[in-house]
Amino acid sequence: MKQWTTLLAAGTLIVSALTITTAIAQQKIITVDGSSTVFPITEAMAEEFQKTNKGIKVTVGIGGTGGGFKKFCRGEIDISDASRPIRDVERADCQKNNVEYIELPVALDALTVMVNPKNDWVKEMTVAELKKIWQPEAQGKITNWKQVRDSFPDRPLKLYGAGVDSGTYDYFTAAIVGKEHSSRGDFTASEDDNVLVQGIAGDINALGFFGLAYYLENASKLKAVAIKTKDDSKAVLPSVEAAKDGTYQPLSRPIFIYVSKKSVETKPEVAKFVEFYMDNKNAQKLVKEVGYVPLPENAYNVFMQRFKERKLGTAFHGSKIGVSIGELLKTPLVN
Amino acid sequence: MSTETVNPVTGKIDEQALVTKANRQDLRFAIIGFVVLVVVMATLFALVLDFMIDGVPRISGEFLTNYPSRRPEQAGILSAWVGTTLVMSATAMLAIPIGVAAGVYLEEYAPKNWLTDIIEINVTNLAGVPSIIYGLLALGLFVQIFRLGQTILVAGMTLALLILPIIIVATREALRSIPLETREAAFGLGADKWQAVWMYLLPAGRPGILTGVIVGMSRAIGETAPIITIGALTFIAFLPPAPLQDTFPFVNFDWLNSPYTVMPIQMFNWISRPQAGFHVAAAATGVILLSMTLLMNGLAIYIRYRIRRSSR
């Protein structure tokens, strides 16, 4: 029965691979799921938190903002990462299952409009011009740069944008077209922003949009377009500073975590993690490190207070455009 | 028969021309076949080489023993490769016994009637169903109805479902290819059906069964879609509880209920990050995943070789 010894050897190999896992007693696990946009921030927070709080484990998933809320409102997870505010249908869903939550803005993301670095005709664009390009009526009609502005050259216009299931797409369309989730369909859409980076970097006629972090990492391959809210307003280039002081409008958006009230009350480790997350010093450092825009100094303290007082509900009814953090701090919450 | 092979003068068949024509056809096919082979292998080789160049320099002891991190240069795949190993173990423990048993039943015991026919057709068809369908099935059944959670056990069950048809079909093929004489010899020695199956047919069919297991496991190890659907997590900086312990009863199965991540998911996450450092880490993860697959296959091929030699 020589072959059985070989099988036994194979079995031993697998078993020895199993043994390097360490034995752990009763586990304290904090479960987070949701937006892949918020993921890098929560990942950084979880990484640092677990260094100082041995024995508490944090798991972070990327089920998407919508997927995250679905699980959150079924009570399956403690915290939901969201790149947009909770929707009315999701609120109803949560209410049905008696899931109450605390809404906490954690950072800002600046959506960046990008062209190829060899593109020498575009420096700034107005929201109206962008709307002309992206609105549903433009499909098949606005296909040349010259149609956007007379001074632009006679060149084909190639469009790239975030995938239509993303919060990025929802916010961009709400801010530019004026209606959430509504745009032309004939553009190269990808859920993977690196595909968009490659596309724009290799095409002189390209125009596209995605999150600031991807622009900052690829600044040598891309050129950001300054945005003018109105024809006579000042053109503002996307940057951490411009998003933070509220001058980069309307494409700065807050991103959030939603914390389940029940989890906070029954699992002290969840409260500990959220307090670590909203701590001004941690947030300023870690949010910036992963390529996002931290909220202004006092904002974290105010939201920390909101968390400590367990103030429930949301300040939103769908995406709000051009909302500054100052306003956000004052908006009353509704359940 | 075409006219060119008929000699116009004698009206007889020109054998020489016939042979030449056949040879030419052979040569033409051989050339086409060779060109196709070269194109396919060159593409594969270029792809593998490309991510080897990116990934291999990144691999180090630390890469294998670090948890994922926000800093690309510190990020490692400890939780991912342990997760993959555990999920694959769970898959193998479920899929191999059930798959082989089902194959043996269908081939040796099942009565030949319409019900068996339907089962047979369905099993063969299931082997071609896209993996995301299994993911959705598992999400609805295991996660939402049975409330088993997002655990290694559920991942193992899902991947086991995915590769069961492959193992069942391979088992049946292996049993069918055993010469009738083996069966007759067993029965001639007075063995009953169970003894014939257990002592003669299964050992004789082992190489074929093992091939099916290799193919199935190799498919399962690279699967991302069903695992994402049932909720594997992306950031995990801890390991499941150890299956072996130093106190009685020395083994525990707590790890089956642990949250987990696997290597394809870690790659998927890193590839879509903005920092170039993460893309390199993803390539390195790919190299490790490929090596694990090759190692698994190599081991199985070695075992098969040993069995073949010893059963002669």
Side-chain angles (χ1 to χ4, degrees):
Chain A
M1 283 278 151
K2 206 171 177 187
Q3 61 270 40
W4 290 117
T5 48
T6 328
L7 277 176
L8 204 69
T12 325
L13 200 83
I14 293 167
V15 168
S16 55
L18 302 181
T19 42
I20 44 175
T21 58
T22 46
I24 303 159
Q26 193 48 45
Q27 313 196 39
K28 281 184 181 167
I29 298 182
I30 303 169
T31 50
V32 189
D33 205 335
S35 167
S36 57
T37 308
V38 188
F39 175 83
I41 303 176
T42 306
E43 180 193 46
M45 292 291 176
E47 189 185 352
E48 285 305 308
F49 179 73
Q50 286 176 105
K51 271 184 198 158
T52 45
N53 294 276
K54 299 275 178 215
I56 303 179
K57 298 169 187 165
V58 188
T59 68
V60 192
I62 42 170
T65 302
F69 274 129
K70 254 188 209 125
K71 287 184 190 168
F72 184 74
C73 292
R74 276 203 303 259
E76 290 171 10
I77 54 174
D78 301 319
I79 297 170
S80 175
D81 283 345
S83 66
R84 55 162 174 78
I86 190 165
R87 289 199 175 122
D88 287 347
V89 277
E90 291 158 346
R91 270 175 49 201
D93 203 17
C94 271
Q95 254 162 13
K96 204 175 69 196
N97 295 318
N98 281 327
V99 173
E100 295 177 296
Y101 50 84
I102 305 158
E103 174 184 84
L104 299 168
V106 292
L108 294 169
D109 186 20
L111 299 192
T112 310
V113 176
M114 229 90 48
V115 293
N116 188 281
K118 289 206 204 87
N119 177 329
D120 54 3
W121 59 90
V122 177
K123 286 205 175 57
E124 88 315 305
M125 287 179 104
T126 63
V127 171
E129 282 169 334
L130 286 171
K131 180 175 179 180
K132 199 172 171 187
I133 296 174
W134 286 98
Q135 64 189 348
E137 295 78 38
Q139 178 147 347
K141 290 196 188 116
I142 308 292
T143 53
N144 193 301
W145 279 94
K146 208 167 173 52
Q147 288 169 293
V148 180
R149 194 190 291 174
D150 280 341
S151 57
F152 286 164
D154 181 14
R155 281 174 169 278
L157 175 65
K158 300 276 185 58
L159 296 172
Y160 295 81
V164 297
D165 288 331
S166 64
T168 308
Y169 173 81
D170 281 351
Y171 189 85
F172 184 84
T173 47
I176 297 297
V177 180
K179 190 173 168 221
E180 199 169 295
H181 212 77
S182 150
S183 81
R184 66 194 293 170
D186 54 345
F187 66 96
T188 306
S190 175
E191 298 292 343
D192 183 351
D193 290 349
N194 288 309
V195 173
L196 303 175
V197 170
Q198 295 301 329
I200 300 171
D203 183 353
I204 185 169
N205 299 316
L207 177 106
F209 67 88
F210 43 78
L212 182 66
Y214 288 85
Y215 166 65
L216 294 178
E217 283 295 327
N218 298 286
S220 57
K221 289 188 255 172
L222 303 164
K223 185 175 132 185
V225 178
I227 304 293
K228 286 162 82 169
T229 325
K230 297 206 178 70
D231 289 349
D232 52 356
S233 51
K234 207 170 135 253
V236 183
L237 272 170
S239 68
V240 172
E241 290 69 32
K244 202 170 176 177
D245 63 23
T247 51
Y248 184 69
Q249 292 293 358
L251 291 176
S252 308
R253 57 168 176 169
I255 52 182
F256 308 85
I257 57 171
Y258 285 76
V259 187
S260 157
K261 181 186 168 217
K262 195 175 153 213
S263 295
V264 175
E265 283 166 354
T266 53
K267 295 162 82 174
E269 61 269 23
V270 173
K272 208 171 171 190
F273 178 60
V274 175
E275 277 164 25
F276 182 89
Y277 207 129
M278 298 311 291
D279 178 78
N280 185 49
K281 222 173 80 200
N282 292 336
Q284 294 292 345
K285 179 170 156 266
L286 293 175
V287 168
K288 200 163 181 176
E289 200 182 320
V290 294
Y292 288 83
V293 184
L295 303 176
E297 299 271 327
N298 66 325
Y300 286 109
N301 297 333
V302 172
F303 293 132
M304 176 78 103
Q305 200 56 38
R306 177 191 287 183
F307 176 70
K308 282 188 170 156
E309 289 167 13
R310 309 278 189 263
K311 278 192 186 153
L312 305 172
T314 173
F316 293 85
H317 284 285
S319 288
K320 255 187 218 164
I321 303 309
V323 65
S324 78
I325 286 299
E327 280 173 58
L328 212 60
L329 293 175
K330 284 180 229 138
T331 325
L333 300 172
V334 284
N335 267 314
Chain B
M1 193 188 304
S2 60
T3 47
E4 67 226 53
T5 54
V6 180
N7 191 313
V9 184
T10 59
K12 281 183 182 165
I13 294 166
D14 187 341
E15 286 160 1
Q16 192 54 47
L18 208 63
V19 170
T20 318
K21 196 181 161 220
N23 280 345
R24 215 180 298 135
Q25 270 174 342
D26 270 353
L27 186 68
R28 213 178 297 143
F29 180 77
I31 290 172
I32 293 172
F34 183 73
V35 169
V36 170
L37 186 71
V38 167
V39 169
V40 170
M41 292 312 289
T43 315
L44 185 68
F45 188 70
L47 285 174
V48 172
L49 196 71
D50 182 55
F51 80 69
M52 294 268 262
I53 291 171
D54 286 346
V56 169
R58 179 69 179 75
I59 297 170
S60 62
E62 278 178 9
F63 186 64
L64 295 175
T65 53
N66 276 5
Y67 290 112
S69 165
R70 67 181 182 283
R71 300 194 182 96
E73 58 284 354
Q74 284 171 17
I77 54 166
L78 179 60
S79 45
W81 78 257
V82 171
T84 290
T85 312
L86 292 175
V87 168
M88 293 314 291
S89 312
T91 307
M93 281 192 268
L94 291 166
I96 298 174
I98 299 177
V100 172
V104 169
Y105 174 77
L106 282 176
E107 194 60 33
E108 301 292 332
Y109 287 88
K112 302 279 176 258
N113 58 22
W114 58 273
L115 188 67
T116 318
D117 285 347
I118 289 176
I119 293 175
E120 274 179 24
I121 293 168
N122 278 305
V123 167
T124 321
N125 280 341
L126 277 176
V129 168
S131 58
I132 185 78
I133 305 290
Y134 288 93
L136 293 172
L137 169 82
L139 177 69
L141 196 67
F142 300 152
V143 179
Q144 286 172 3
I145 297 180
F146 295 160
R147 300 229 162 240
L148 292 175
Q150 294 153 11
T151 59
I152 291 177
L153 178 66
V154 170
M157 282 159 70
T158 310
L159 292 179
L161 276 185
L162 180 72
I163 66 172
L164 263 181
I166 303 174
I167 296 180
I168 294 175
V169 171
T171 305
R172 301 190 58 192
E173 293 293 332
L175 293 180
R176 211 173 297 157
S177 67
I178 297 168
L180 196 61
E181 289 85 348
T182 312
R183 249 170 259 253
E184 285 169 348
F187 291 133
L189 286 172
D192 57 26
K193 195 161 189 177
W194 168 248
Q195 286 168 326
V197 167
W198 187 246
M199 298 166 88
Y200 292 91
L201 300 182
L202 269 187
R206 234 182 285 149
I209 296 171
L210 210 54
T211 308
V213 171
I214 300 169
V215 173
M217 295 292 282
S218 307
R219 178 169 177 197
I221 198 173
E223 279 298 343
T224 323
I227 300 274
I228 286 193
T229 319
I230 56 175
L233 295 146
T234 311
F235 177 77
I236 288 215
F238 57 86
L239 295 176
L244 298 181
Q245 58 194 25
D246 48 12
T247 51
F248 189 77
F250 304 112
V251 287
N252 78 61
F253 289 96
D254 285 350
W255 59 275
L256 283 171
N257 284 318
S258 175
Y260 64 100
T261 187
V262 292
M263 290 167 67
I265 289 181
Q266 193 65 65
M267 278 177 77
F268 172 76
N269 174 251
W270 279 342
I271 276 286
S272 54
R273 298 290 282 270
Q275 292 86 353
F278 281 124
H279 306 165
V280 174
T285 314
V287 174
I288 303 276
L289 185 61
L290 199 69
S291 327
M292 274 174 81
T293 314
L294 285 177
L295 195 75
M296 202 168 74
N297 286 0
L299 189 73
I301 290 168
Y302 176 72
I303 297 171
R304 190 171 62 188
Y305 163 76
R306 290 288 298 267
I307 293 171
R308 277 211 181 121
R309 218 177 42 175
S310 61
S311 59
R312 250 175 222 150

